[in-house]
Structure formats: structure tokens, C-alpha cells
Amino acid sequence: MAPNKIIIDTDPGVDDVLAMLLALSAKPEELEILMLSLTFGNVEVQNCLRNVVTLFHYIEKERAWRIENGRPAGFETLDARKPIVAVGADEPLAEHMMVADFFHGVDGLGGIHHSHPHLSPEETWKSLFLPTPENMSEEEVAALHAVKDKHRLFTPSLKPAHEVMLEILAENEPDTVTIVAVGPLTNLAIAAAQDPETFLRVKEVVVMGGAVDAPGNSGLRLLNLRNQMTPGAEFNTYADSVASARVFALTCPNPRMTMPPVLKGHVKEQLPPYPEKLSKQLKLKLFPLDITEPHLLPAKLFEKYTTSPPIAGSPLAEWSTLFLTSTFQKNLSLNPQQDPTKLGLQLHDPLTIWWALSFEDAGWQFKTEDLRVETSGQWTRGCIVADRRGRPVSEGASELDDEVVGDAGGWRDSRRGNSVSWCTRSPGVDKFAGVLLERVFGALE
């Protein structure tokens, strides 16, 4: 069977890094990772880029260490293909810039780039994401080649992420590439606005975001201003609610029915509306807090696993211990009522990768509903809205453009609403942490 081709759109971020490690540890017959598309989110986008470069730096060190110690190198999917790394959106489509560095640290990884600067790769990697100067000397050319060789596990791109995303979708057969989006959906919204039909060549979009029946988790810092918390929204949908609403609208037979309102007088340029007719509806699978929050990586299990032979002392174990230890403690400080012996990290983003790896497992279950993202509410920005009135949905009894009396927004007409499949069950809540640890760090002997 051909591998599942994926693009990962991400804002690393602690759990984003674990998600990428899980994906990159796949075998070539399981996943083909075409691209890592970066967006702002947990931290600013340039910090996200540094974290991705550092991730590859440690995979390189880890593979060398394993070979020296007589173990399989792992991360075999990188032998088959080097993913493109492209930088995308540095701010939301509307509203103020939000980040979650209060939880993930100022650098997205618990502050380890500052507390342990000697463990970060030399910043010569920045030249890979800049245009090559003209009339370079032989020494400069040699230096650039040396930098490329040092960071040979990925292919840097100078193009914005949404353009690379569209190019990949255009180059591959329709319905063969999955986009796994684990940050704000800004890059996806820009790509879809620029070329909707090319974007709809995607097999499906898998989103970590939202909270359907669960409470939200949006503790964010309004950049340079103040902290802001909301009880109903999840971080990714809150950070760019307009982008989320636009992507969700592509699951509607007529996307204009559920598109977010235009913000009049807003200084930022508005993305254009979608065409009246599109060739197909977007297939979107949502992994909201309802399903991601129960999937935990217990601190005690992580410590026991990464300090056991033959994993103890590996570069990847030591690096990940640094940022995960600070994250476990941050979790405790934010939840002081929690039992300190039961510290853990919710595996929000990695769960989407587990789906990409095991989508044929019968343990996965989904529920399809008309889910929409609120973009303009004072207290509800970023909230997922579902119709809980329990009345039957019409299968198109009225003309599409006619407003049904008492049905503002078209909630009771299946042709007017979104069609989002959200995950309600995985192959095993208690199983996942062990799967992740074994795949990323290797089996214990």
C-alpha cells in the first residue's frame, strides 16, 4: 500500500514537536511527509522555524548516536524523502496577534534556547531561508554549502508556505495529499482563497482545534499588551477565528452561507470570497479538545521510559527532557489542584498524527455535524457552535437562497450548513502514550 502523503501545518510548540517527531519516526511505507508548513501560534513564526531546525538537528544527532550504539537509526521516512520547510503566516487574518508563550515558553520550548543556548544549533541556518546573494566569493559559497550539508534532513524554501502548499497539491493527483493542521488555520485559509480549486485537490484536512461539547482552553497573551482567557474557545480556533471559519465553510455545499462576516473598516486586507460554484466540498476531520484532552503523556511514564536502557543518555531523550520537564511543571502551576504525582501533558497535536498513521484502525470513530466557528462574539470568539435543539435536519426542502422562517443561518437545511466529521473515539486513550514513546525513542530492550 502506498504511504499516506501528508503536509503538516504547525506552530511548534511543545506538543507540535512531539507530533512532528511521531510523524518523522514513521516508516516510509506509512507516511511520506511532503512539507512542514509554519505559522504563528504558540509563539511567533520565526521562533517556530528555529524549533523546527533544532528538531532536525537533534534527529541527526540521535541517528548518529543510535548507530554508534548498535541500534537502528530510525526516522526512516527521512531516507525516502526530505520534507520542505516553508515559513508562512506571521499574524492572523484579522484581530490582534495572539501567542501562547505563557505555557510553551518565550521560544516555544520552555525557554531552553535561552537557558541552554549551547544545545541550540548555530544560527548559520538562517542563511538557508534568505535569498542567495549575487557575486558570492568562493569562501562564501563553500560556507553556504557547509550549512546546507549540516542541515541536510530538510529542504528549505524561500516561498511562503501557502504557495508551496498549493504547488504540492497541484503536482500530486487529486485526493492523495492530506493536510494535518495543528496550529491556527491561517496558511490554509490564504491558500484556499488564492486558488480554491487547487486547494480542494486535498484528500482531507485534519485539524486539531475547537471544542465541541468540552470547555475551551484559550489562555493567550495579546502580544505586547495583556493576557486573555476565554471559557469556550480552544487556542487554535481563537488565535485566528476568521481563518478557521473560512476553512470550515469549504465543507458547506455553498460556502458563502457559513462564511464569516466581513469586518468593515478593518485595516487588514480582507481575503476574497469563494466563487459561487466550487467543484466539491472539503473533507475535514476535526480533533477537538473533547477527544485530545484525555490522551495524556504521564510525566512518570516519560521519565521512566527515557531513563531506561538503551534509551538513557540519547541526544533526543536529553533534549526532550529539558522542555518537557518545564512543561510538566507549568501544567502544575496552572492547575494547582492537580495531584503532583499525576503530572502529564495532553497530547493534542500528536493525536492527529496517530490518525494519519492508523486511519484504517476500526477503533477510530467520528460524528458528522454542522459545526461553525464564531468570529465576532465578545465572549465567544473562536468557539465551535453546533445545533443542539434536536430537531430533524431538512434534506433540501427549500430553495438554497431562500431564508426559511425561524431558521436564521440555515441550520435546519443540510445544503446550507457545514459538514465536519469530529473524532469521538480513538483506538485507545491509555494506549497512545506508549505508542508515541516507542515510535519516537525506540523500543526498550
Side-chain angles (χ1 to χ4, degrees), residues 81-100:
R81 185 183 183 112
K82 297 194 301 181
I84 299 169
V85 173
V87 179
D90 58 6
E91 62 178 359
L93 298 179
E95 302 294 341
H96 296 287
M97 171 76 168
M98 300 283 184
V99 293

Side-chain angles (χ1 to χ4, degrees), residues 272-287:
Y274 298 127
E276 287 292 325
K277 298 290 184 180
L278 290 171
S279 62
K280 60 187 289 192
Q281 293 169 246
L282 177 68
K283 293 180 180 178
L284 193 152
K285 284 194 169 63
L286 184 69
F287 287 75

Side-chain angles (χ1 to χ4, degrees), residues 27 90 270 274 325 346 348:
K27 296 186 180 299
D90 58 6
Q270 299 287 329
Y274 298 127
T325 298
Q346 292 160 332
H348 301 296

Side-chain angles (χ1 to χ4, degrees), residues 97-371:
M97 171 76 168
M98 300 283 184
V99 293
D101 58 3
F102 79 99
F103 179 79
H104 291 270
V106 294
D107 60 0
L109 289 179
I112 64 172
H113 289 293
H114 302 285
S115 62
H116 296 75
H118 59 290
L119 298 181
S120 301
E122 295 180 27
E123 293 196 349
T124 52
W125 60 263
K126 291 183 177 180
S127 63
L128 301 175
F129 296 90
L130 297 172
T132 303
E134 296 181 0
N135 303 317
M136 294 178 66
S137 67
E138 291 184 5
E139 291 79 8
E140 290 171 328
V141 171
L144 182 59
H145 283 305
V147 173
K148 289 181 178 179
D149 186 62
K150 187 179 294 186
H151 300 282
R152 58 182 175 270
L153 293 182
F154 65 89
T155 301
S157 175
L158 302 183
K159 295 181 180 179
H162 73 274
E163 289 187 10
V164 182
M165 189 179 293
L166 289 172
E167 288 178 357
I168 290 173
L169 292 172
E171 291 166 357
N172 286 270
E173 291 295 319
D175 301 316
T176 60
V177 176
T178 296
I179 299 175
V180 180
V182 295
L185 297 183
T186 316
N187 287 335
L188 279 69
I190 295 173
Q194 180 172 308
D195 191 342
E197 289 296 345
T198 297
F199 185 79
L200 288 173
R201 291 169 65 92
V202 70
K203 178 181 178 181
E204 63 181 4
V205 171
V206 178
V207 174
M208 189 282 122
V212 181
D213 295 321
N217 70 344
S218 286
L220 307 98
R221 183 169 66 85
L222 186 58
L223 201 60
N224 301 323
L225 293 176
R226 65 184 184 277
N227 290 337
Q228 185 163 340
M229 308 285 284
T230 77
E234 178 274 333
F235 170 80
N236 289 337
T237 55
Y238 188 95
D240 197 339
S241 61
V242 172
S244 294
R246 288 185 63 102
V247 173
F248 277 44
L250 286 170
T251 70
C252 181
N254 191 339
R256 69 182 179 83
M257 292 293 184
T258 60
M259 283 280 280
V262 175
L263 299 176
K264 294 182 179 179
H266 202 278
V267 295
K268 294 184 182 178
E269 183 180 352
Q270 299 287 329
L271 292 181
Y274 298 127
E276 287 292 325
K277 298 290 184 180
L278 290 171
S279 62
K280 60 187 289 192
Q281 293 169 246
L282 177 68
K283 293 180 180 178
L284 193 152
K285 284 194 169 63
L286 184 69
F287 287 75
L289 296 180
D290 309 62
I291 187 66
T292 62
E293 284 197 330
H295 292 78
L296 296 175
L297 174 61
K300 284 187 173 292
L301 177 62
F302 172 78
E303 180 182 3
K304 180 179 179 180
Y305 200 95
T306 54
T307 56
S308 298
I311 294 165
S314 81
L316 193 57
E318 293 188 345
W319 179 62
S320 58
T321 295
L322 285 174
F323 63 78
L324 280 172
T325 298
S326 66
T327 304
F328 292 139
Q329 292 304 315
K330 173 60 70 173
N331 238 340
L332 181 60
S333 70
L334 294 173
N335 302 280
Q337 74 284 358
Q338 182 179 359
D339 183 347
T341 64
K342 297 181 180 179
L343 281 176
L345 174 69
Q346 292 160 332
L347 296 170
H348 301 296
D349 296 342
L351 193 64
T352 62
I353 301 298
W354 195 23
W355 157 256
L357 285 164
S358 63
F359 59 91
E360 293 184 321
D361 193 310
W364 294 104
Q365 292 184 9
F366 292 83
K367 180 179 182 180
T368 300
E369 288 191 273
D370 180 358
L371 303 180

